[in-house]
Amino acid sequence: MGVQRLKSYINNNIIKIEDKNKETTDNIVLIVDGTCLFYIIGKELIYFFFDYKKALQKYEEIINNLLHIDNLKKLIFVVDTVEDLSKLKKKRFENKFKSVYGLKEKIFKPDKEKHNCIYKYKYFDKYCPSPIEFNTYIHYLYLKSKEEPKLELKFPSYEADRYMAKLAVEENGDDSDFFIYDIPGYVSSLEDVNKVNKPDITKLYTTKLLEDYFGFNKKLFPLFASLSGNDYIPLMDDIIEKLEKYYDDDIIKDYIKNNNDLLNKKGIENENNKIYKSFYSILVKDFSSIHKSFDSFIKMFKEINTEYNNNDNKQNYLKEILKFEKIKCFLKCNEKKDQGSIIKMILECVSENKDEFKNSLSNSLSHYKIDNEQNDEKDSLPFSEEILDNLNHGKINSDLFNIIKKEGYYICAQYLEIIDEGNCYDVTDELRKEMYKLLICRNEKGIGENPMYEDIEKTITEYKRHNNKYGNNDNSGDDKISIEIKYEMKPSEITIKIPKEFFIPSNHEKRLELYLEIFDSNIPDIKKLDKSDKFLIPLVSSLRYYYKYYNNQKNKISSKLFIEELIASSIAALTLTYLNINCYKNNKDTSSLINKNRLEIKEHLKLTPQKIFRLMKKDVDNSRFKRETQILAEFRNVLAINSNIMQILKLTDDTEYRNISTMHHYIWEQAFDRIIFEKKKIQYNKHINIQNLFKNLFYIDKFKIEEKYLEYLDEKYNLVKKLILNNRNNDMISLRPNYRGKFVSCHHGKNINHNKR
């Protein structure tokens, strides 16, 4: 969850620890917040164009670094499963919108100046991956845990932070909550794993050291965290100011003097410690009352350090110091009182929405209780034993568990798309309803026919982005209208009704038929793939559904889906795994998520940031890149829901389906772009020839691309293409979405007006 700005405050300011953390530690048990590490790694990745091969290589590099820590006994990854609905603050959604919008602007509206274009186009605020990235990461950890005895993967059925803290006590991660829990120690920060071969974990923050630093008993740490602001409670500067009436000047005077003396003994002179030493020394010299001391600190510090006057970052840092110091002083002065009395003081300083604040404070304090059984929370998690067992073995995506809570919900999490002009989740509106139905049925009735059950009805709250009237186009005055106004995550209630006759079959073939029916793919030729090329089933079923979705759209205008190019890019992407040349030569499938010797784009055809920048300067509206980005965003969405449905229907009990269900196999963004670009050289009505196209675009490191291998890829391409069009019109229909998100279809260049059907 995280306490706002606490991590940087402690890292920058606690210096009592530095001479106490150098002793050798044997038999280290390192507990890692797997979700948090995923976001840390994500900051190192490039997301335009995204390449799953590079992402997997990064996962491999960092996990191996952690496994090679000296004296490591056990490495435990804990992954978030359910999320407290009260933590779903509006601000969280807004931050994601801002990040995606900012990245979209940075990519598609590059300035002329080199320093302000897409040479560095990583997420610069909030990392916003699609579900496929996270599922691929989790499956990589699962496979790694099978080959590495030291590595364990845990999926708690309640809030992950509390589970990790409890596990830390039992076993003697990277979230600032762990400064607050009563645990043996907290390592900060795992971000170093990106930079070194063997991460330095000697900077261990033990509970005793934190008590010494804060100046009060660890029992008050949860109150300190709550007053500092977290996911339950926002920053409360006005309340913190009012708490000053409960200060005891004599206690604080001794507290400040002791800290000043201690800092002077240390002789540490880095910039952060200089600031902090100045803080205490100024307060000691000018102490008449704590209120005056804090005010005089700001005034005197600015006079002594004039460079702070016009530096926003340094000004904010001073405010941060003052905020934490004021909270510490309040708790130091009142630590002998019981918690109830302290809470009463805090509530007396709340002027508005006191009942709401009291409830939020109660939730926040409960969050930090390791041994808190939280019976109410358990009642809200009505998971069947069979579902929980699948979770513990990594057989079902953890984010699905919010759906079957007592108050079930699903978040259509924002990721990179053309955020102004559509919503990539629209394509799966009907699929998600099927997903909810199947998951609720499985949780309530299990697998197989059970006549004991009655009709089931459950309401799911779905959170999905809506663009308001200000966000319909790029000419909405972005500088004047905030992202919060343009975009909003709105809840909508979806009622799922399941008749008592409905059940999930226990027979694999019947479950496969049910799965294919949902994706309009229950035909004999596709079912045959279950005995031969299983890895093509999710690709074919997803593309058939996607193709049908756009075929049924109305009010379409000229644009293109690039269906053939999308199929071809998926075949190229599959050369990372199931169509890898080594698998082809050895005539066997692979369960690996990543293989060497994938097809690679020839050097002169690769799009570097410099090349993209030059192209975008020539094409102001960048319609080509926008179309590609939106198509891939929607395709990812169909694949992600496809993966969830496969898991809910237990198709992934089959090892190969389980490896397939990550869905990263089918997307290679730059290959999609290059295939579109290369096909422009061919006449519009000429279909793709994989052998010629791939020969022009790709090479394989240390291999000569043999004609037979290209014939093999061409065979798979034509098979997929045929199955997508099976039982449909004989002609290939190219659906061409413009970057406004509207569509028409063309039969070999002849427009069909779907409004006249």
Side-chain angles (χ1 to χ4, degrees):
M1 177 175 72
V3 182
Q4 295 181 27
R5 299 188 183 92
L6 177 62
K7 181 177 158 186
S8 61
Y9 170 73
I10 289 179
N11 287 340
N12 290 334
N13 298 320
I14 294 186
I15 64 173
K16 302 177 186 180
I17 293 175
E18 296 196 6
D19 61 347
K20 296 186 178 183
N21 291 324
K22 300 302 181 184
E23 63 254 23
T24 303
T25 304
D26 294 322
N27 297 323
I28 296 169
V29 176
L30 188 59
I31 302 170
V32 179
D33 183 333
T35 307
C36 182
L37 184 60
F38 170 70
Y39 283 94
I40 290 172
I41 296 172
K43 293 175 184 176
E44 299 296 309
L45 301 174
I46 293 174
Y47 267 71
F48 186 83
F49 294 104
F50 186 77
D51 189 336
Y52 287 100
K53 179 179 180 180
K54 292 180 180 177
L56 284 157
Q57 288 171 334
K58 195 68 180 177
Y59 301 155
E60 191 167 49
E61 172 193 339
I62 289 177
I63 303 308
N64 284 338
N65 284 347
L66 290 172
L67 285 166
H68 285 87
I69 291 173
D70 291 338
N71 304 314
L72 182 71
K73 177 184 177 183
K74 192 182 294 185
L75 176 62
I76 303 174
F77 279 83
V78 179
V79 180
D80 282 319
T81 303
V82 296
E83 189 166 14
D84 189 337
L85 192 58
S86 64
K87 288 169 58 177
L88 291 177
K89 303 290 184 182
K90 181 181 178 183
K91 198 69 179 174
R92 275 193 169 191
F93 297 135
E94 289 172 357
N95 286 340
K96 288 202 171 189
F97 298 155
K98 285 180 180 178
S99 183
V100 171
Y101 183 86
L103 181 62
K104 188 268 297 183
E105 290 292 282
K106 204 170 184 69
I107 293 171
F108 298 110
K109 285 189 177 180
D111 290 344
K112 293 181 180 179
E113 298 298 327
K114 178 177 177 180
H115 69 275
N116 193 23
C117 68
I118 58 169
Y119 285 90
K120 295 181 179 179
Y121 46 76
K122 298 175 184 177
Y123 282 102
F124 44 86
D125 181 17
K126 182 78 175 175
Y127 172 53
C128 302
S130 80
I132 293 179
E133 283 86 90
F134 186 68
N135 294 342
T136 304
Y137 164 77
I138 294 301
H139 193 59
Y140 172 80
L141 290 178
Y142 164 76
L143 292 177
K144 196 74 174 176
S145 69
K146 296 302 177 186
E147 63 184 52
E148 291 284 350
K150 293 181 180 179
L151 179 60
E152 294 182 13
L153 193 55
K154 303 284 188 181
F155 298 91
S157 58
Y158 56 90
E159 219 280 343
D161 290 348
R162 200 171 81 255
Y163 177 83
M164 290 174 67
K166 186 175 182 180
L167 195 60
V169 173
E170 293 173 353
E171 291 281 358
N172 263 355
D174 193 21
D175 188 324
S176 54
D177 279 332
F178 298 103
F179 291 116
I180 307 304
Y181 286 112
D182 183 12
I183 59 177
Y186 166 77
V187 176
S188 180
S189 160
L190 287 177
E191 293 193 25
D192 290 342
V193 298
N194 287 313
K195 303 170 185 175
V196 295
N197 291 328
K198 290 188 178 181
D200 177 14
I201 63 166
T202 61
K203 197 172 185 181
L204 178 67
Y205 295 89
T206 65
T207 301
K208 180 63 170 63
L209 289 167
L210 291 171
E211 279 186 314
D212 290 344
Y213 176 72
F214 285 129
F216 48 77
N217 188 280
K218 64 186 179 183
K219 292 181 180 179
L220 293 178
F221 285 2
L223 267 173
F224 175 81
S226 300
L227 288 171
S228 300
N230 55 27
D231 285 346
Y232 293 100
I233 303 177
L235 291 172
M236 304 166 296
D237 293 336
D238 58 330
I239 296 175
I240 292 170
E241 293 298 323
K242 292 177 183 177
L243 291 173
E244 292 181 15
K245 65 183 178 182
Y246 298 111
Y247 289 168
D248 184 313
D249 284 356
D250 290 334
I251 291 175
I252 297 175
K253 186 174 182 178
D254 289 339
Y255 172 72
I256 289 173
K257 184 178 183 302
N258 291 337
N259 277 280
N260 183 55
D261 293 343
L262 184 64
L263 283 163
N264 286 330
K265 288 178 184 178
K266 289 295 177 183
I268 297 172
E269 295 300 331
N270 64 51
E271 182 179 5
N272 290 321
N273 290 329
K274 283 181 181 179
I275 296 170
Y276 220 67
K277 288 172 73 173
S278 296
F279 173 78
Y280 282 123
S281 63
I282 290 172
L283 296 189
V284 167
K285 290 175 184 176
D286 189 50
F287 190 94
S288 55
S289 75
I290 186 62
H291 317 284
K292 182 180 177 182
S293 297
F294 281 131
D295 294 337
S296 66
F297 164 68
I298 289 290
K299 181 179 177 181
M300 294 175 66
F301 193 89
K302 287 181 179 179
E303 291 173 355
I304 297 169
N305 302 276
T306 55
E307 74 273 14
Y308 274 71
N309 289 327
N310 297 314
N311 189 313
D312 290 340
N313 288 334
K314 292 187 177 183
Q315 291 278 9
N316 289 333
Y317 184 63
L318 294 179
K319 291 178 182 177
E320 180 182 288
I321 286 177
L322 282 181
K323 180 194 79 170
F324 286 121
E325 282 302 312
K326 288 180 179 181
I327 298 170
K328 284 163 57 180
C329 287
F330 166 71
L331 293 173
K332 176 67 179 175
C333 292
N334 297 283
E335 67 173 327
K336 293 183 180 180
K337 296 181 174 67
D338 62 86
Q339 181 170 284
S341 298
I342 298 174
I343 291 174
K344 187 176 180 180
M345 293 178 189
I346 296 170
L347 291 175
E348 286 177 358
C349 297
V350 180
S351 55
E352 297 180 359
N353 302 318
K354 186 171 290 190
D355 289 340
E356 182 182 344
F357 178 86
K358 184 178 180 180
N359 185 56
S360 297
L361 180 61
S362 176
N363 289 336
S364 177
L365 295 174
S366 295
H367 172 81
Y368 297 112
K369 294 179 182 178
I370 296 175
D371 58 351
N372 185 5
E373 294 297 329
Q374 292 200 356
N375 292 325
D376 290 341
E377 184 180 75
K378 282 191 169 184
D379 291 341
S380 68
L381 306 178
F383 305 147
S384 69
E385 290 299 321
E386 186 267 338
I387 286 273
L388 281 175
D389 182 68
N390 270 248
L391 172 69
N392 293 330
H393 289 88
K395 291 183 178 181
I396 190 166
N397 291 336
S398 56
D399 61 346
L400 294 174
F401 277 67
N402 292 313
I403 297 169
I404 48 178
K405 290 176 68 173
K406 188 174 183 179
E407 297 180 356
Y409 67 91
Y410 186 80
I411 300 172
C412 298
Q414 186 63 61
Y415 56 90
L416 179 61
E417 63 172 324
I418 310 305
I419 192 171
D420 306 274
E421 298 150 1
N423 191 321
C424 60
Y425 279 88
D426 289 349
V427 69
T428 58
D429 282 349
E430 295 304 315
L431 276 182
R432 293 195 303 278
K433 293 175 185 177
E434 293 295 327
M435 178 179 76
Y436 303 148
K437 175 183 176 181
L438 291 170
L439 183 60
I440 294 166
C441 180
R442 178 174 163 187
N443 188 56
E444 295 287 335
K445 301 174 69 171
I447 301 293
E449 189 171 6
N450 191 332
M452 295 175 61
Y453 285 88
E454 298 299 319
D455 293 351
I456 299 171
E457 182 172 315
K458 182 176 175 65
T459 299
I460 305 297
T461 302
E462 190 173 77
Y463 293 85
K464 183 181 171 186
R465 173 177 58 79
H466 290 255
N467 294 6
N468 67 20
K469 62 181 179 180
Y470 296 107
N472 294 328
N473 56 61
D474 280 335
N475 301 315
S476 54
D478 297 334
D479 294 335
K480 297 179 181 178
I481 300 173
S482 68
I483 303 303
E484 291 91 334
I485 295 174
K486 289 183 68 174
Y487 312 117
E488 185 178 359
M489 188 72 89
K490 292 185 178 179
S492 60
E493 291 189 346
I494 299 173
T495 300
I496 303 299
K497 296 181 179 180
I498 306 173
K500 60 183 179 181
E501 297 84 11
F502 181 82
F503 64 95
I504 297 174
S506 56
N507 177 273
H508 169 83
E509 285 72 21
K510 295 293 183 183
R511 278 184 277 123
L512 179 63
E513 287 182 4
L514 178 57
Y515 160 79
L516 292 175
E517 191 67 42
I518 292 168
F519 289 91
D520 189 36
S521 300
N522 190 20
I523 59 176
D525 285 345
I526 295 179
K527 287 193 284 189
K528 287 178 184 176
L529 296 175
D530 188 47
K531 306 299 182 184
S532 55
D533 295 328
K534 290 180 182 177
F535 64 89
L536 292 180
I537 290 180
L539 175 62
V540 170
S541 59
S542 296
L543 285 174
R544 279 177 65 93
Y545 180 88
Y546 190 24
Y547 180 74
K548 179 183 178 181
Y549 170 80
Y550 279 121
N551 230 6
N552 292 334
Q553 296 299 295
K554 296 180 180 180
N555 301 319
K556 303 169 185 176
I557 61 174
S558 182
S559 57
K560 189 178 179 182
L561 180 59
F562 298 115
I563 187 70
E564 290 186 81
E565 293 88 339
L566 192 55
I567 298 169
S569 70
S570 294
I571 297 299
L574 276 162
T575 64
L576 180 64
T577 52
Y578 292 95
L579 295 181
N580 185 265
I581 192 168
N582 290 304
C583 304
Y584 165 75
K585 284 180 172 292
N586 298 324
N587 195 29
K588 64 178 182 180
D589 292 331
T590 175
S591 62
S592 175
L593 291 181
I594 182 171
N595 289 282
K596 295 179 180 178
N597 311 119
R598 178 188 71 174
L599 289 180
E600 299 292 349
I601 297 169
K602 291 180 178 178
E603 290 299 325
H604 70 283
L605 293 172
K606 285 183 180 178
L607 279 184
T608 62
Q610 293 88 340
K611 288 181 180 178
I612 296 172
F613 181 56
R614 287 197 296 271
L615 287 169
M616 288 186 176
K617 284 201 296 184
K618 294 177 182 178
D619 181 9
V620 179
D621 67 5
N622 300 307
S623 56
R624 169 184 151 202
F625 286 120
K626 287 184 174 182
R627 287 199 298 273
E628 293 170 11
T629 299
Q630 196 63 20
I631 288 168
L632 289 170
E634 292 167 345
F635 184 39
R636 273 189 172 90
N637 211 271
V638 178
L639 288 170
I641 302 301
N642 192 318
S643 173
N644 289 342
I645 291 174
M646 284 180 69
Q647 293 174 64
I648 294 167
L649 289 173
K650 289 179 71 69
L651 296 176
T652 50
D653 283 2
D654 179 293
T655 301
E656 189 171 350
Y657 276 125
R658 186 171 184 177
N659 294 323
I660 292 167
S661 67
T662 63
M663 302 295 179
H664 77 286
H665 315 276
Y666 310 117
I667 298 179
W668 183 6
E669 293 190 12
Q670 189 155 173
F672 183 46
D673 175 84
R674 293 292 81 192
I675 288 169
I676 291 172
F677 183 77
E678 189 70 15
K679 190 170 179 283
K680 283 185 176 180
K681 299 176 183 178
I682 308 170
Q683 289 182 354
Y684 179 72
N685 61 357
K686 187 173 181 180
H687 297 311
I688 288 176
N689 180 294
I690 287 292
Q691 290 169 267
N692 294 333
L693 185 66
F694 281 19
K695 194 183 296 182
N696 292 335
L697 284 177
F698 302 117
Y699 73 96
I700 301 179
D701 189 33
K702 298 180 181 178
F703 278 89
K704 179 182 178 181
I705 302 185
E706 301 173 1
E707 287 295 330
K708 287 187 177 181
Y709 180 54
L710 291 175
E711 289 175 8
Y712 171 69
L713 298 180
D714 188 57
E715 175 189 322
K716 299 302 180 187
Y717 165 79
N718 283 299
L719 174 61
V720 171
K721 179 176 158 182
K722 172 188 172 185
L723 292 173
I724 290 170
L725 296 174
N726 200 309
N727 291 349
R728 306 193 193 280
N729 294 333
N730 292 327
D731 290 335
M732 168 64 74
I733 298 178
S734 287
L735 296 161
R736 306 200 288 175
N738 78 337
Y739 69 97
R740 301 290 178 207
K742 297 182 179 179
F743 302 81
V744 296
S745 60
C746 307
H747 283 255
H748 298 310
K750 296 179 181 179
N751 289 343
I752 297 177
N753 189 333
H754 290 269
N755 294 325
K756 295 181 180 179
R757 285 181 177 179

